Amino acid sequence: MKTVNKIAVITSGGDAPGMNACIRSVVRTAINEGLTIFGISGGYKGLVEGELIPLSRRSVSNIIQKGGTFLKTSRSESFYHKSGRRRAADTLKEWDIDGTIVIGGDGSFHGAHAISVEFGVKVIGIPATIDNDIYGTDITIGYDTAIGTALDLIDKIRDTAASHDRLFIVEVMGRQSGFIALEVGICGGAEEILVPETKVTMEDLGKMVKTWSRAGKTSSLVVVAEGDELGNAHSIAQAMKEKYNIDSHVCVLGHTQRGGSPTATDRLLASRLGYYAVIALKDGKSDIMVGWQNNSITYIPLLETWEKKKPLDAELMKIYRILST
Ligand code: F6P
């Protein structure tokens, strides 16, 4: 087994609060282990273009509390092609890098797995996405902060909805998954939660809205994940007006959910996973993700992290229906 001396760290895909805390953990653990550590600037695009910067303990001072990623991130078009990935692998070879830690979501893991299989690059993934939709870890870096942010905004919407006796449709992030919608929906007391994992028709929704007013509710809240099959908040509101003459107001929380200072939970998770990722690389592991399940560290093949689907909590789906009526 080749000794690991020089490693690199990259943030890729959509940013998530806690990425900075994770970079800090990777950098300081690496230095503690006697390794030289480089940061790749600008995600996979930076890797393709050779944007590497040496990092020291002081390079990561005063970032643990900051949202975003100081290394910057991107969704790189060139990385979707083998030629781009070859250039990335060449960059790592030129800089004599023995292993790379990729902090990101499933798109980033696809890329990491590809350069590992195609060019023998040693990679370890750390799950960081506000969507929480990665198999093999109970929670991803950024999720806890994002649901806190979304809930704070939903509480504010509730105040105005109640004052005006209005129905609000609130759209949260989640292109393919409803983790954010389900948890902020239940915590925010939503009457209905629309997620890509379950099918609700416009007819169902129309009927439900009418039962809420019959049950004496004067204001109500529907939380919808942006990727729901019924549509986004605007199209749902339009369809409800056209089909059932139901008036509603729309609020799209959008990218506010991606920013902000990470919560203690996210900083703790980021610190833990960063540490274990470096140790895994030093131990010769590759093409795996370090995750956190049942309060302990897990090592999952990268391929499994998207080939297996992390399910929504079925119990929670049942509970919210009982509580919301
Ligand atoms: O992957 C996280 C995520 O926040 C998704 O929920 C959302 O659809 C997407 O990123 C939007 O990302 P961007 O605007 O950066 O393309």
Side-chain angles (χ1 to χ4, degrees):
M1 191 174 78
K2 190 174 180 287
T3 336
V4 174
N5 294 312
K6 279 190 197 170
I7 68 168
V9 60
I10 184 169
T11 47
S12 164
D15 62 342
M19 278 184 162
N20 277 325
C22 192
I23 300 167
R24 171 181 179 270
S25 169
V26 167
V27 169
R28 293 192 176 168
T29 304
I31 293 167
N32 189 57
E33 293 294 319
L35 307 178
T36 304
I37 171 98
F38 292 87
I40 299 161
S41 187
Y44 283 145
K45 184 169 176 284
L47 180 55
V48 172
E49 292 167 8
E51 303 283 334
L52 271 74
I53 43 172
L55 296 174
S56 68
R57 281 184 168 274
R58 294 290 72 78
S59 321
V60 290
S61 293
N62 198 28
I63 63 166
I64 193 168
Q65 79 284 17
K66 291 186 177 150
T69 161
F70 93 103
L71 283 178
K72 306 279 181 87
T73 184
S74 63
R75 301 193 194 272
S76 165
E77 180 55 38
S78 56
F79 220 75
Y80 293 125
H81 308 289
K82 193 167 181 182
S83 56
R85 295 195 292 272
R86 179 174 287 115
R87 273 164 57 205
D90 287 346
T91 303
L92 293 168
K93 217 173 184 175
E94 276 158 32
W95 285 74
D96 217 9
I97 302 291
D98 303 310
T100 301
I101 293 174
V102 178
I103 306 170
D106 76 326
S108 312
F109 290 175
H110 274 79
H113 174 68
I115 52 169
S116 164
V117 171
E118 293 164 351
F119 304 106
V121 171
K122 296 227 174 306
V123 287
I124 303 286
I126 300 182
T129 162
I130 65 160
D131 291 345
N132 196 28
D133 57 348
I134 307 275
Y135 177 85
T137 188
D138 292 340
I139 186 165
T140 56
I141 296 168
Y143 176 66
D144 188 64
T145 308
I147 57 171
T149 303
L151 185 58
D152 186 41
L153 296 167
I154 284 175
D155 287 347
K156 291 180 165 72
I157 293 167
R158 258 201 175 286
D159 290 344
T160 175
S163 304
H164 287 265
D165 291 343
R166 281 176 172 161
L167 162 66
F168 263 83
I169 304 179
V170 181
E171 183 181 307
V172 297
M173 277 190 168
R175 226 175 344 212
Q176 276 135 10
S177 64
F179 289 93
I180 298 179
L182 177 58
E183 295 202 357
V184 302
I186 197 165
C187 296
E191 271 64 29
E192 179 58 17
I193 303 170
L194 301 171
V195 292
E197 289 86 345
T198 60
K199 195 166 157 47
V200 173
T201 64
M202 202 52 79
E203 288 67 37
D204 298 332
L205 190 60
K207 274 188 205 145
M208 277 189 258
V209 174
K210 288 184 177 149
T211 63
W212 301 334
S213 44
R214 281 203 295 272
K217 287 179 182 260
T218 53
S219 66
S220 38
L221 204 69
V222 173
V223 173
V224 56
E226 63 181 327
D228 190 71
E229 74 292 335
L230 199 55
N232 61 27
H234 284 288
S235 65
I236 293 172
Q238 199 182 339
M240 288 224 290
K241 179 71 186 163
E242 282 167 9
K243 285 192 161 187
Y244 305 106
N245 198 26
I246 294 171
D247 289 312
S248 60
H249 280 65
V250 166
C251 186
V252 178
L253 303 189
H255 288 78
T256 55
Q257 296 158 97
R258 286 241 293 255
S261 180
T263 59
T265 297
D266 272 329
R267 296 182 204 189
L268 200 56
L269 180 68
S271 302
R272 271 197 173 112
L273 296 185
Y275 169 84
Y276 285 109
V278 174
I279 302 302
L281 212 46
K282 253 201 110 185
D283 287 349
K285 293 189 173 64
S286 179
D287 202 14
I288 53 128
M289 174 193 83
V290 289
W292 189 248
Q293 273 182 319
N294 303 320
N295 273 328
S296 52
I297 201 78
T298 48
Y299 303 98
I300 309 282
L302 280 177
L303 200 63
E304 270 184 41
T305 66
W306 69 85
E307 280 196 345
K308 292 192 178 168
K309 183 110 179 96
K310 180 158 138 188
L312 281 187
D313 185 337
E315 282 292 292
L316 213 48
M317 291 293 286
K318 195 177 81 189
I319 294 170
Y320 102 76
R321 286 211 176 273
I322 297 167
L323 302 188
S324 67
T325 48

